Amino acid sequence: MRGETTDPLHRFFGTAMALVVAENGVWEQADRFPLGDVSNVEAAQRRLDRAGEDVAIEVGFDTDAFVGLRLRPAERSRAKELVTALLTQPAGVPRTVGGVMSMVDRLAETRFANVKADHAELGVLDRWQSLGHIELDLPLVDVNPLQLNPAGFDLHAAPAPIMLEIVFGPRADGWIAARVSTQSGPHMHTFDAFRFRAFAEGICMGLPIPHPGECAARDSHGGK
């Protein structure tokens, strides 16, 4: 089991706190269900029953980070099992990013284990659609964070945390994301290049299945 002290990505993610369900990529109108509350199971399952074809699930962490997947048609019947497992996990069980990713791979079709990361995206939490996002090629060690220039939001005054998302697989239907900004005022968040670089390194070194391309590129740059 991946515990809190041994999970290399734990410092970027912290502890899983809530299950989030959204349709058509509209995270601004998503429904949120706290983890560990058995009374939420029925409500979350009803939410899945009402959902249309394009439905996604995310697990939100206490650091604003999240792990997500878009449900494939063949997974709809199994989605309730995944939702129930997440919502009823005992409070004493560490809810780390590694544990959540492993649970997704065990109860849905594989999204993370032995699946190559496809690309990265930079956007604003819960505003991926309304404010837009920019797509970044991997490896991230080749990206100069000081040259990023998104059209839909200001890196120095975003209305919510700025997130760096890693998207997995050719279907791009599994992802993890961590915050790469600091709060500089009420409803104002500023991009943090140091956090960006640190998470880029953490992705290389901390994913449950290493991605040799990321690490090789990092080593060729002298670890910078």
Side-chain angles (χ1 to χ4, degrees), residues 13-223:
F13 284 78
T15 300
M17 300 297 290
L19 177 80
V20 187
V21 181
E23 289 185 72
N24 302 314
V26 186
W27 294 100
E28 294 88 334
Q29 299 175 16
D31 292 300
R32 188 177 183 89
F33 305 93
L35 298 187
D37 188 344
V38 179
S39 65
N40 282 322
V41 172
E42 187 175 344
Q45 291 182 344
R46 286 198 304 269
R47 179 66 183 85
L48 288 175
D49 287 337
R50 296 196 309 270
E53 292 184 4
D54 184 356
V55 59
I57 295 172
E58 285 185 349
V59 174
F61 290 73
D62 59 2
T63 58
D64 297 317
F66 52 85
V67 172
L69 72 157
R70 181 166 289 103
L71 293 177
R72 299 169 185 171
E75 293 176 324
R76 293 299 292 267
S77 61
R78 280 185 287 169
K80 290 184 178 181
E81 183 181 357
L82 174 60
V83 165
T84 300
L86 287 166
L87 289 175
T88 59
Q89 190 174 22
V93 176
R95 300 190 184 102
T96 64
V97 58
V100 171
M101 292 168 74
S102 296
M103 184 176 291
V104 168
D105 283 341
R106 188 171 68 252
L107 297 177
E109 294 177 11
T110 301
R111 294 303 197 285
F112 304 112
N114 295 312
V115 177
K116 183 178 175 63
D118 184 77
H119 66 275
E121 297 179 4
L122 187 76
V124 178
L125 181 67
D126 292 339
R127 291 164 175 82
W128 231 252
Q129 190 174 81
S130 59
L131 296 183
H133 59 273
I134 55 175
E135 188 168 313
L136 304 171
D137 292 330
L138 298 176
L140 286 171
V141 289
D142 289 340
V143 176
N144 182 348
L146 300 179
Q147 294 179 348
L148 296 173
N149 186 29
F153 58 94
D154 186 347
L155 285 175
H156 302 289
I162 300 171
M163 309 298 294
L164 178 59
E165 179 174 289
I166 310 301
V167 183
F168 290 79
R171 300 191 193 185
D173 57 0
W175 56 86
I176 65 173
R179 177 169 52 86
V180 289
S181 65
T182 55
Q183 187 162 0
S184 50
H187 307 293
M188 186 176 294
H189 299 259
T190 302
F191 177 74
D192 188 327
F194 176 79
R195 285 178 180 269
F196 181 98
R197 292 191 181 100
F199 186 42
E201 276 197 22
I203 292 163
C204 169
M205 304 305 296
L207 287 175
I209 301 297
H211 292 70
E214 276 279 280
C215 295
R218 175 179 178 274
D219 291 343
S220 70
H221 285 66

